[in-house]
Amino acid sequence: MKSDSKNLLDQSVQYLKSVGPKRAESFAKVGIKNIHDLIYYFPSRHLDRSTLLTAAKASDYLMNGYEGELTVIGKVFEKEKKRFGKKEILKVQFRDSTGFFECVWFRGTKYFYSVFNEGNTFAISSKPDKSKFGALKFIHPDFDRLSEEEEKSFLHTGKIIPFYRIPKELKSGNIGDLSLRRIINLAVENYVDLVEETLPEEIIKENNLIGLPEAIRNYHFPESSEKLNSAQSRFKFEELFYLELLVALRKQNYQTKLTGNKMSIKTNLVQNFLKTLPFELTKAQLKVLSEIKSDLLSEKPMNRLLQGDVGSGKTIVSLIAMLIAIDNGFQAAIMAPTEILADQHAKNISVMMKKLYLKYPDKEIKVSLLLGGQKKSEREKRLQDIELQEADITVGTHALFEEKVNYKNLGLVVIDEQHRFGVRQRARLQSKGKTPEVLVMSATPIPRTISMTVYGDLDISVIDEMPKNRIPIKTVLRGESRLPEIFKFIIDKSKDGYQTFIVYPLVEDSDKLELKAAETFYEELRKTHLKNLNVGLIHGRMSWQEKEEKMLLFLKKQFDVLISTTVIEVGIDIPDANIILINDAHRFGLSQLHQLRGRVGRSNKQAYCILVTKDEIVQYNIQQRLELDYLSSSMLDKYKSAIRLQTMVKTNNGFEIAETDLKLRGPGDIFSTKQSGFPDLKYADIIYDTELLNLTKKIAFNLINKDPSLDSENNSVIRNNLIKHYSENLKYAKIA
Ligand code: ADP
Ligand code: MG
């Protein structure tokens, strides 16, 4: 019986009444191949009684200054195309029992002309506009055609009508609002009861969810708005539940299938190292260190994310972890995102290890650097050091984990600035040692909701405190017109030994343009405002060796000012660089601005971050805004820019900045599923559905705790559904 029903749902849509092979082809183009797909093609919205108005009422609303979206139902009364030079405008007049309104199209007029036929009824949804004479008008509104019966049943019985997105592939296949609703209705009526439940009975009951067939039916053709809500909630629940199940499985897999190296504190190595530091570790560093230590000393392999703002002292913490591994006879590796950073890590670590050896000459710790661009002979030597364990600590980029690199005894891997590495890379490098302990470090604060999922399989440690000697960076926002004053400030400060980064954004996605822009500014400033200072230039077209050379000159104070494109974004430590001037600051994202600001303020002097932008953005008053939805796109850009920049001025706290960033950008950018190996979210919103996310996480983790390989009878539903619909995502979380 079961296999029969599955077969029926797997049938091509072409066997549905009024579909046929031609329309089936169009459906296939948008990914709807079988009946199951069609049943899961949910409406993008429903005809909503709460915002439905008559033409007369809508005019009243308009007169009273209403700016929200509303819906009116009307019959096409007449239409006309008007030509203005090359441009053509389409005007369609509609009427309902109370009056008239007009819809206007400036683009696609030919197509829209063919859509609106006299006597046909449409639901029009949009923000209203006024015509020259103050009459009700809509410009490029959303519209859906209604059949006469639909209109009647909607008006008289309050029946909720679904509106579907109709991509051009369907339109050109002669599938419109009415026909699509009819076809989907047919499919739902006849086949929905064959759809197999995807959640266990118990979970459905305990969480007051509605069953799958009922949810599907009500998502399409709701009996009531309450039912529609229940249907949508059920899909959100299911989606987040399976997401968290995958997270739980991944974590489970890591902890039970793999055994780590049970380390211990063997000698005084770590103690001695701490004595060579010119500072005390902060409380936060000590706390995360004890978390890391307990991972290392236990049997289960460490798989930990270490978060901390730029400059909070993550590198020292990771170095101590590496020393524990070395104390136990292992090698350690640290991977940086760029060659210049790897190089800098290698130098810093070498210096510290030399100092340690001079003071406590019982064990010399050898540091080796492995990069892509090295000479062959040099590279061979490094590879050999790694194979023979001549190198205790290897620093590098991705090159560290290429196939040719054979570690003799790799015990710990540290990944710096991990947001650039995906789960695939993590999996690959973990295949390098027996099961090396893994510590991932990120300076990009990740909001909790995101880290719970994308990094939910990692344990998380947070350094939430800066070293005491730091004075908070002063951040100011200035209009371009004040640049001359700013340059004067830079010159004044240089007399006190301050150095300055001047950053320009990338002009476009083109290296050539970037180079040109940076060079132009460089030449100009050297001749004008900054002619009495030593000015250097660094940009993305330079090789890492060239960049490094420039950074070294800057470090040695050969330059007072370093002009750069965003290449200084990550991790470079110049203690006397205490001013950063960011031009066209509105072009940068929030987390990028925060990273850039982190380049300064690494000493005990007052540091400054000067954000320069268009004067109008500086003057923009956020309080005066309307609802976000009603801003035109250029207003919205300006509004968002203003918020970003004012957030920077207001706070130095990376987590606060990340939360704002998430709200402004939406989850898409940050919640990059391609990298994480988790499925895309269709129903739930990771920003707004946090409560549900917490709930499903709890349920999923409990369930996997009790039944790790999902072989209890109760969980067979889950098991089958995972295999059927999430096989792609199971790669990193195999169930037995
Ligand atoms: P992160 O990697 O988190 O950006 P780093 O580890 O590079 O930060 O540390 C930034 C600077 O602060 C380094 O020069 C480091 O030596 C110094 N530092 C680290 N911990 C402390 C501390 N507890 N007190 C004072 N300075 C510290
Ligand atoms: Mg760092």
Side-chain angles (χ1 to χ4, degrees), residues 183-252:
I183 291 166
I184 290 182
N185 196 0
L186 199 69
V188 170
E189 290 275 295
N190 291 315
Y191 295 92
V192 75
D193 290 321
L194 301 180
V195 175
E196 278 175 52
E197 182 52 70
T198 48
L199 289 172
E201 203 43 51
E202 223 173 279
I203 290 186
I204 294 185
K205 278 221 185 85
E206 273 167 19
N207 298 284
N208 286 323
L209 303 173
I210 58 175
L212 186 54
E214 193 184 355
I216 295 176
R217 196 178 287 122
N218 278 285
Y219 203 150
H220 288 287
F221 306 101
E223 286 163 35
S224 64
S225 52
E226 291 76 37
K227 276 283 168 98
L228 174 59
N229 265 334
S230 308
Q232 288 168 334
S233 303
R234 135 103 214 194
F235 282 104
K236 282 185 185 182
F237 183 100
E238 176 177 340
E239 180 168 58
L240 292 176
F241 172 69
Y242 274 96
L243 175 66
E244 288 299 343
L245 264 182
L246 289 167
V247 172
L249 280 169
R250 209 189 263 184
K251 187 160 185 173
Q252 175 76 23

Side-chain angles (χ1 to χ4, degrees), residues 273-330:
F273 174 68
L274 290 176
K275 284 188 217 150
T276 65
L277 289 178
F279 48 74
E280 303 254 299
L281 295 182
T282 60
K283 267 207 207 87
Q285 282 172 314
L286 289 171
K287 184 192 72 197
V288 304
L289 206 52
S290 79
E291 288 162 357
I292 291 170
K293 200 170 127 192
S294 85
D295 282 353
L296 294 178
L297 303 198
S298 88
E299 203 133 277
K300 73 169 215 223
M302 172 164 69
N303 203 21
R304 189 171 284 280
L305 173 66
L306 174 56
Q307 285 197 63
D309 237 324
V310 201
S312 61
K314 295 181 295 297
T315 314
I316 293 286
V317 168
S318 75
L319 185 55
I320 294 168
M322 290 193 268
L323 290 177
I324 296 176
I326 292 166
D327 197 26
N328 283 270
F330 292 105

Side-chain angles (χ1 to χ4, degrees), residues 45 370 379 430 483 552 564 596 599 648 650 735:
R45 60 200 178 93
L370 192 69
R379 191 178 157 78
Q430 279 163 357
L483 271 170
L552 281 176
S564 82
L596 281 168
R599 297 307 107 222
M648 286 293 292
K650 201 177 75 194
I735 32 180

Side-chain angles (χ1 to χ4, degrees), residues 239 671-674 678-683 729:
E239 180 168 58
F671 187 75
S672 161
T673 46
K674 260 194 217 88
F678 290 117
D680 278 327
L681 295 181
K682 260 169 64 187
Y683 308 102
N729 313 108

Side-chain angles (χ1 to χ4, degrees), residues 39-50:
I39 285 181
Y40 271 84
Y41 190 73
F42 288 122
S44 52
R45 60 200 178 93
H46 289 84
L47 183 52
D48 180 0
R49 271 182 103 69
S50 66

